[in-house]
Amino acid sequence: GKPVKITWHHSAVESKGPTGVRNIQKGHLDRGFSDIGYHFLVDSDCRIFQGRKFLDKKSLINGPELAIGAHSKSNNSGNIGICFMGDFSDKNLPDSMFWAGLFLTSILMGVYNIKTSELYGHRDQKATICPGRVYDRIEVAKHLLKLGKIDD
């Protein structure tokens, strides 16, 4: 179905790049998932990776149909999962990663007409510390997204 919300996560392990994405995917496959659970991932170099494959050949800007993720148990339908790669349980999300994730979130909200109020941290949907201190940035993200543009 059509995405109606976005959930931010952290991987809770230090990882980056294509190798890090594959390691997360392997961990999810080992747990019995059909693929990596997240739709998108952001690493410490601010690279954005696609996780779950699109179900059609449309480019992102044309609103491809997304496979249902496996990132928020009992809450995956219509829910885009974005993972910030790294363990942010006890450390702050770097500003550069925040901006990359916010950029991606903004694009997805525009493409799928998702309301700003529908941005969540994983802990909003389940008893977990995920997304760690990334959670501290969600209200700021919502404020910036509501502005309709991002200015310094």
Side-chain angles (χ1 to χ4, degrees):
K2 179 183 171 301
V4 295
K5 60 188 161 190
I6 296 174
T7 301
W8 281 6
H9 301 264
H10 73 142
S11 63
V13 294
E14 294 304 328
S15 58
K16 73 185 231 182
T19 301
V21 173
R22 281 191 292 278
N23 288 340
I24 292 169
Q25 180 185 39
K26 182 184 181 314
H28 287 184
L29 291 170
D30 289 349
R31 290 170 53 194
F33 297 3
S34 64
D35 194 358
I36 191 167
Y38 311 111
H39 294 95
F40 299 96
L41 302 93
V42 179
D43 80 355
S44 59
D45 289 335
C46 303
R47 293 175 290 185
I48 296 170
F49 297 93
Q50 181 180 346
R52 290 249 163 157
K53 292 180 174 44
F54 300 152
L55 296 178
D56 57 33
K57 300 286 186 201
K58 292 181 184 174
S59 66
L60 179 58
I61 205 69
N62 292 315
E65 186 177 349
L66 301 178
I68 294 176
H71 58 91
S72 188
K73 192 172 183 178
S74 302
N75 210 346
N76 286 308
S77 185
N79 189 355
I80 298 174
I82 298 176
C83 178
F84 291 91
M85 296 171 68
D87 186 351
F88 298 103
S89 301
D90 297 312
K91 68 178 184 180
N92 293 327
L93 181 69
D95 288 345
S96 55
M97 286 181 78
F98 169 75
W99 289 111
L102 186 66
F103 175 74
L104 173 61
T105 299
S106 176
I107 289 171
L108 292 167
M109 285 183 163
V111 166
Y112 293 106
N113 199 26
I114 298 171
K115 295 177 181 159
T116 303
S117 61
E118 296 295 322
L119 173 61
Y120 300 96
H122 189 194
R123 74 175 67 158
D124 292 322
Q125 299 163 356
K126 179 185 176 188
T128 176
I129 66 160
C130 181
R133 289 194 180 164
V134 174
Y135 193 83
D136 302 341
R137 306 298 282 275
I138 289 177
E139 287 308 312
V140 171
K142 286 181 179 182
H143 175 74
L144 291 168
L145 290 162
K146 281 179 188 168
L147 293 175
K149 61 182 179 188
I150 300 171
D151 291 327
D152 286 331

